[in-house]
Amino acid sequence: MTAVITKMAVTSSLGENEDEIHERIMKFNSGISTIDYFDTDEFMSSIAGNLNHETWEKVRKIAIDENVDNSSALTIYTVNKLLKNTRFNYQNVGLSLGTCNGGIQSMSDYFDDIDAGQSGKDNLKNYPLYKQMFDLSNYFGFEGPRFSFNSACAASSAAIAYASQMIESGKAKTVIAGGSDPMSKWVYAGFNALKTFNTQNATPYGNDYGLNLGEAATFFIIKDKEEALRDGDDILCEILGYGFSNDAHHPTAPDAEGNGISFAIREAIKSSGLESDQIFYINSHGTGTKANDVAELKGIEQVFGKNVPLISSLKGYMGHNLGAAASTELALTLIGLKNNVLYCNFPFQDYREETRNKKIFREHIDLSNQKTRDIIFINNNAAFGGHNSAVIFKTNLDNKYNTENSYKAIDEKSVYINYISESTTNELKNVNERIKLNPEKPLKEFDKLLYQRRMNQLSQVSIIAGISVFKDQTIPTRNGLIFGTPLGSMNATTKYSDSIRKDGFGKASGIYFPDLVVNSTSGRISRALNLKGYSASISSGGNEDFKSMEIAFEALKSNRADVILSGSGIESNSVTEKILGHPVKTDVVMIEMVNEFKPDTSILKVNEVRSYQVNATTRKIVKKTVDNATKQDKTKVLLIAPNKINNFISSKNVDFILEDGTGVQGIKALLDSIAKKWDRVLILELSINNELTVLDVNSLKNY
Amino acid sequence: MNRFMSLEEIKHLIKEEILINRLELEDVIENEIDDDENLYNEEGLALDSVEALDIVDGISNVFKLDVEAVMNSGEENNFQTVNEIANYIYKMGNRDAD
């Protein structure tokens, strides 16, 4: 199946109306303005791409009325516009969301409450990044599967790409995908500490470097092309393919040669079945910083050689919208194409020396007389944590779409599990062995070379768990990592917030800021284990291990990687314990998944990993899955669920485990089940938020 | 006006307060940091660009001096060794103390 985008809604500093946005870009009238809603005296810059006051008041009203964070409110506000004049059954709608900082304002408010001697509990519950997908589905009644990507500045790109995967695999009929990030003083302070700002309107590729932050939310309706044609939808573009990668290089700086970027673009082109010379345009990440623009161009040149496609960055018009950057930039490109225009870079005096290339164009391009009416373009994004994402789209300028090439011939592969591990700070556990660790400095004693200063506990333990399962390194570049974590390293988050609370926003800690983004752990694991292939970081609020496995399973099945480490982890921290309501120890699970059977090492075959949203009242899907499975011979069924569901499962054949919100219980149960030598194991992991992922595996011991 | 600080005192504070404590250089003791070693070399402390920026904040905290304009222009770093940083602080501090 081919996924298409049928509708979009934008809330940005350039405005909300497509005609207004088009007019402003044509006149180079940027959305960058002075910040007047927090004090910027302590910062090197005072400007950003700000939403106008009227819009912001409407967003705030939703936040107050619904008791949700501003980020969720901005998402709800934007999706409300998206759903106008649409008619479809919300029950079947899946979500694929991206955010960089999610409810960070609520976290900031929580610390204000604490400092004022209050509990702050109401604010704290709105912090977690996964909360956005629950707030959104609660508000509108969406009942399809949900995913929340937190790969920082590439998050909404990952979300859009994965939405196409959900359509192609048939797991959702309609997906709402995109990203949302309102401005946050905490985040502004972090970029200030890293000295990345331009004090004037940013000019990517220009000789005056530095970036402007921005705030935005942009969402799309994505569905199967045949269905869209049948329903008579307007089609804005087809999603032809995508590629994910990780730089495995540095928490904030890109690989200077652009190796991660070129890898993602190459994978995207390969998955589209295209040749590189068919790419007409690249909507680049182009932040305007010294490090990004040069490295990104080098990465692009690695793929296209001297014949690079047309390139422009749209960040000069509205700032860097972080988790909403990719989705908003895509929307702008689509608005341009609706008007037969490719938008150029924001005007600059002269090229930066290293990016002096005419293909980085400086005047809007009129496509009215363009002979080739199919415009194939790449949306390219990169992020802290080293995550890169490139997605390829095709827009027909005459709105001509047909069912031709609707079905991609994908050689579906089988997926196997070779190794499973669990690690705490005290002990590493594999299928066959247990290794004691030094809880004071686990990684430093386990593998000194992989330890880096100030490395948080979650990253240390994750790397240990990762090393113990990563044993198939035959084709080093197509090794990937999918990592889930409900909250990331809360110890790093706390250290960063302490620096602000102690010394003020102007002295925010630049060395702890990089770990404020939840995907930083994933980046650190990728770097330690040199995992440069398919890469994503997610949160889901209690079943991160299986959700990550599902993404890895789909990627391996469709041959987007050869080896994927998939895992999840949680870090011991008092704020985490407050959110989950019970003591938490640092705990990480990791498995190695492959798509070639290895007689000596493959221990399980994965039949399916699939997420559902469970109806809180009927819990039909849980009951149905359990009933079906318990009828089968030699199948062990394990149910991980909140206490309240226990009584409704009557069968003696089902083992019950109390769900605790850590997101690591599914793989722990899988690891324990190996010793029992079942032929087939079915594990249902249901979170308190009615998020269910079912894992179905067969033992290979008889092969 | 009071005397600012001696060069030795400045070097001690850079190593102990800024490098070891602030950047949390575990297992490094003051004597091991050579006054002339390049702080960014792989063989030495191998500090990165983010840590370089943090040193500027550290200097501002410990010495109450703003060295940002001189020490960092964008992502480039003008001082590579403890000696270079200390000499500059010494000059700046004594100029302000006059």
Side-chain angles (χ1 to χ4, degrees), chain B residues 58-72:
Chain B
I59 292 171
S60 155
N61 268 357
V62 174
F63 301 102
K64 312 293 172 219
L65 291 173
D66 184 4
V67 297
E68 192 183 314
V70 188
M71 207 167 145
N72 282 286

Side-chain angles (χ1 to χ4, degrees), chain A residues 28 87 113 219 404 434 444 563 623:
Chain A
F28 303 121
R87 277 174 300 160
D113 288 348
F219 290 89
E404 212 177 292
R434 285 161 182 259
K444 217 169 181 180
V563 178
K623 207 168 166 40

Side-chain angles (χ1 to χ4, degrees), chain A residues 420-424 426-437 446 464 468 585 668 671-672 675:
Chain A
I420 311 176
S421 74
E422 183 211 351
S423 186
T424 63
N426 294 300
E427 188 185 60
L428 167 66
K429 205 165 123 184
N430 289 321
V431 174
N432 300 319
E433 58 177 355
R434 285 161 182 259
I435 298 164
K436 286 268 165 255
L437 301 170
F446 190 81
I464 293 171
S468 75
K585 61 173 186 182
K668 273 162 76 170
L671 180 56
D672 288 342

Side-chain angles (χ1 to χ4, degrees), chain A residues 193-196 209 250 252 289-291 444 451-455 495 503 506-512 514, chain B residues 22-27 39 45-51 53-54 56-57 60-61 68 72-76:
Chain A
L194 297 181
K195 308 283 177 255
T196 50
Y209 48 73
H250 185 269
T252 60
T289 64
K290 201 170 183 186
K444 217 169 181 180
Y451 176 80
Q452 289 185 301
R453 342 180 227 281
R454 302 181 300 275
M455 191 179 264
K495 281 199 170 167
D503 297 322
K507 295 279 169 62
S509 167
I511 52 176
Y512 281 105
Chain B
R22 190 180 170 93
L23 295 182
E24 299 173 41
L25 304 185
E26 304 146 54
D27 304 341
L39 299 171
L45 295 177
L47 301 186
D48 70 10
S49 58
V50 174
E51 290 170 319
L53 290 167
D54 205 67
V56 176
D57 285 341
S60 155
N61 268 357
E68 192 183 314
N72 282 286
S73 55
E75 287 134 22
E76 271 156 33

